[in-house]
Amino acid sequence: MDRRASLLALAALCGLASLPAGAAPKSLFARADAAQVARRLSAPHLEARLQAKGLSLADVKADAVQVDDQAMAHSRYRQHVNGVPVFGGEAIVHLAADGALFAVTDDTLAAPRVDTTPTLDAAAAIEQAVQSSPAGEGLTDRPRADLWVLRHEGRDYLVWRVELRREDGSAETAMPVLFVDAHNGSVVWQYDNLQTATGSGSSLYSGTVSITTYLGGSTYYLEDTTRKTGTFDNRNTTASTYRFTDTDNSWVSTSQRAGVDAHYGSAKVYDYYKSVHGRNGIDGSGGPGYYTSADGVTKLISSKVHYGSNYNNAFWNGSYMTYGDGDGTTFTPLVTLDIAGHEMTHGVTERTAGLVYSNESGALNEAVSDIFGAMVERYAKGESANTWKIGEQAYTPATSGDALRYMDNPHAAPNRGYTADDDPDHYSERYTGTSDNGGVHINSGIANKAFYLLAKGGTHHKGGSMTGIGADAAAKIWYRALTSYMTSSTNFAGARTACLNAASALYGSTSTQYAAVKQSWCLVGVGACQ
């Protein structure tokens, strides 16, 4: 897929908050000991409130103090019973800049009565919570438990608050919080702290899939505020971008289906990089966010579909992904899993090695996107012969079984006359002209073949063979090579060195994996075989 800069500047979907004019007033809290001053001034005001409930200052503990942009101080307190915190039992004393009382927020509970010595320990409470939750069988993080006093439906309990996490991209993704009675083990109360809505959609290429959406009021949006990804609709224009919306969270209309694929794809790309490589989003910090979610807060890694009319391409422009609908002959909508992985990986490359999109570094850039696009498809669907085909579901819909590029056999790609046998899979066959940015798509076959041989093994038509180390290890090596050892100008020889360095760091220089990396590059004509 071409990586192009957008020619259009789109209006932001969120507004800017106005700030009050003028300088902030002088404040008692513009000093190093602001927290101590605020707590000292707050205490008498809070004590009066507590006494009315039969409590005293001994029943609360000071928490954080915030000094805002108006130079006011907000002193937080947490209620405790015999040292055990009270769930929801909080107070905030708000002081003006001159120290005068502005207001008191008081959510402390009047005279809780409960035995604060637990009968069950935390491990027993966790076991009970895991057994009681539908998410318990697929946890992706270790459960956490802490002791609280809970007032529920007018009754006070000593409970273990057990927090579970299942973030696996499935329909069961959730963050259950269960309050387990610390005396008898019963579940007193529970809720899901994953603040999203989960729906289903009819995709073009992956069947009916579960997708995470956002519910604002009575409207669902194709936005995932947990992964911080969102999918938007150009409505076959190039100048306007709209939100995808639905009333029942079942995304099945004709216009929605490509959006479902792109949204599902971005989720799987996010999950793949997070779970396999420990990478949080494209830039490693949960971004880059472009459009703001309908929640008004969350910046989203953004994808746009229905771009233009019959647009036969998809691209990453440095800020977001854009997908055309195709012309129905060369392409159908370019929103398949491997294409989504390909485009978002361009962003990963940009934020790491920054491989220049020209000549050999550009061919490596394209190959890296093909490699991890294939790995995303494999992650979501399992490995098959189609894993090693790029864009096969969207390319030439009237021709069954073909693809835009073939990692296992680059020569199987359509021959467009750039070389004697496009796409080349050996360095001696490389394209050296100026078309295609110096062959960024054409010559990507050389690195694609190296990766395929590393993962799966096999023979090369130029001679030689090898045993593969498996796609997981191969991807681990290539990811480390990209993010730690490649630079913007890395060529094929440099990529070989980068992969060897990565293999050495991960497995050792005398390992089977290191030897396999050397052999994989040797078979495609890059570097010595010994």
Side-chain angles (χ1 to χ4, degrees):
M1 303 300 108
D2 288 339
R3 178 171 174 263
R4 306 173 180 176
S6 173
L7 300 178
L8 301 170
L10 300 178
L13 295 180
C14 59
L16 295 175
S18 59
L19 296 175
K26 292 182 180 180
S27 173
L28 289 174
F29 311 115
R31 45 194 285 181
D33 62 346
Q36 290 87 342
V37 172
R39 290 181 185 126
R40 176 173 55 81
L41 295 176
S42 296
H45 304 296
L46 179 60
E47 185 173 28
R49 293 295 189 105
L50 294 174
Q51 287 176 347
K53 294 182 176 182
L55 304 173
S56 71
L57 286 175
D59 295 311
V60 298
K61 293 184 180 180
D63 202 342
V65 175
Q66 174 200 2
V67 178
D68 66 18
D69 57 3
Q70 295 297 309
M72 294 179 64
H74 310 273
S75 301
R76 293 181 175 271
Y77 296 84
R78 166 73 67 183
Q79 184 179 6
H80 287 71
V81 178
N82 297 329
V84 179
V86 176
F87 192 83
E90 300 170 65
I92 312 171
V93 180
H94 313 272
L95 300 178
D98 63 359
L101 177 67
F102 181 79
V104 176
T105 301
D106 182 11
D107 291 323
T108 56
L109 306 185
R113 292 181 174 86
V114 65
D115 178 2
T116 55
T117 302
T119 304
L120 301 177
D121 63 14
I126 288 172
E127 182 178 358
Q128 176 63 32
V130 169
Q131 291 176 354
S132 301
S133 174
E137 294 183 358
L139 297 181
T140 57
D141 199 1
R142 300 180 67 177
R144 295 180 295 175
D146 50 5
L147 198 62
W148 290 82
V149 170
L150 172 69
R151 178 167 290 174
H152 181 64
E153 296 182 349
R155 180 179 171 185
D156 294 333
Y157 298 86
L158 181 70
V159 295
W160 289 102
R161 181 182 64 176
V162 181
E163 296 175 284
L164 306 179
R165 182 182 294 268
R166 179 172 181 171
E167 294 185 44
D168 58 1
S170 71
E172 290 74 34
T173 294
M175 293 173 57
V177 179
L178 295 91
F179 295 84
V180 179
D181 192 304
H183 294 299
N184 63 28
S186 64
V187 176
V188 176
W189 181 44
Q190 61 182 303
Y191 65 93
D192 185 357
N193 200 37
L194 189 67
Q195 299 175 29
T196 62
T198 301
S200 66
S202 176
S203 70
L204 293 171
Y205 304 113
S206 298
T208 300
V209 295
S210 294
I211 52 176
T212 301
T213 58
Y214 173 75
L215 176 61
S218 60
T219 302
Y220 293 92
Y221 298 87
L222 215 52
E223 300 168 14
D224 182 342
T225 55
T226 300
R227 295 182 178 89
K228 298 183 180 179
T229 59
T231 304
F232 301 86
D233 187 4
N234 264 72
R235 299 182 183 176
N236 296 118
T237 72
T238 58
S240 300
T241 303
Y242 306 85
R243 297 187 192 277
F244 275 105
T245 62
D246 196 77
T247 57
D248 63 0
N249 211 20
S250 180
W251 305 78
V252 296
S253 73
T254 301
S255 64
Q256 290 174 342
R257 294 185 72 193
V260 169
D261 276 285
H263 199 59
Y264 177 68
S266 64
K268 291 305 178 185
V269 174
Y270 178 91
D271 291 347
Y272 169 77
Y273 275 109
K274 182 73 170 180
S275 64
V276 176
H277 301 295
R279 185 175 190 84
N280 181 17
I282 288 173
D283 63 10
S285 300
Y290 190 75
Y291 293 123
T292 299
S293 168
D295 71 3
V297 177
T298 308
K299 286 284 190 179
L300 302 173
I301 300 172
S302 303
S303 300
K304 303 191 302 177
V305 302
H306 299 312
Y307 177 81
S309 179
N310 299 325
Y311 186 67
N312 272 325
N313 226 318
F315 59 84
W316 160 261
N317 74 348
S319 298
Y320 50 80
M321 284 67 62
T322 299
Y323 303 97
D325 281 341
D327 60 8
T329 301
T330 305
F331 284 102
T332 50
L334 291 94
V335 288
T336 63
L337 275 168
D338 58 354
I339 292 175
H342 179 108
E343 299 310 331
M344 294 178 77
T345 297
H346 276 312
V348 174
T349 298
E350 181 181 279
R351 295 307 199 276
T352 54
L355 290 163
V356 173
Y357 201 62
S358 179
N359 299 316
E360 289 190 18
S361 61
L364 284 169
N365 193 317
E366 273 296 312
V368 165
S369 280
D370 281 351
I371 287 165
F372 289 105
M375 293 300 96
V376 166
E377 180 179 308
R378 177 177 177 268
Y379 174 81
K381 294 185 173 182
E383 188 173 319
S384 71
N386 284 337
T387 300
W388 311 107
K389 297 178 181 179
I390 303 301
E392 73 278 4
Q393 291 178 292
Y395 185 64
T396 57
T399 305
S400 177
D402 69 339
L404 182 62
R405 287 187 292 278
Y406 299 76
M407 297 181 67
D408 57 342
N409 180 21
H411 284 181
N415 193 318
R416 297 180 174 89
Y418 291 108
T419 68
D421 202 350
D422 295 340
D423 288 341
D425 65 356
H426 194 272
Y427 194 70
S428 64
E429 301 173 342
R430 71 191 184 280
Y431 173 69
T432 58
T434 58
S435 296
D436 185 35
N437 279 359
V440 297
H441 296 92
I442 303 162
N443 290 333
S444 64
I446 298 169
N448 281 346
K449 182 69 172 183
F451 180 87
Y452 176 81
L453 289 169
L454 180 62
K456 301 297 291 181
T459 61
H460 196 283
H461 71 90
K462 288 282 190 178
S465 64
M466 67 175 292
T467 300
I469 61 173
D472 290 336
K476 190 174 182 180
I477 289 168
W478 269 79
Y479 179 79
R480 179 66 61 90
L482 173 71
T483 57
S484 297
Y485 295 104
M486 291 187 190
T487 69
S488 62
S489 60
T490 295
N491 57 15
F492 284 116
R496 173 185 180 274
T497 300
C499 288
L500 287 170
N501 285 334
S504 180
L506 292 167
Y507 302 107
S509 61
T510 61
S511 65
T512 299
Q513 293 86 348
Y514 184 93
V517 167
K518 183 179 290 187
Q519 183 71 355
S520 68
W521 280 108
C522 160
L523 292 181
V524 299
V526 179
C529 295
Q530 299 298 328

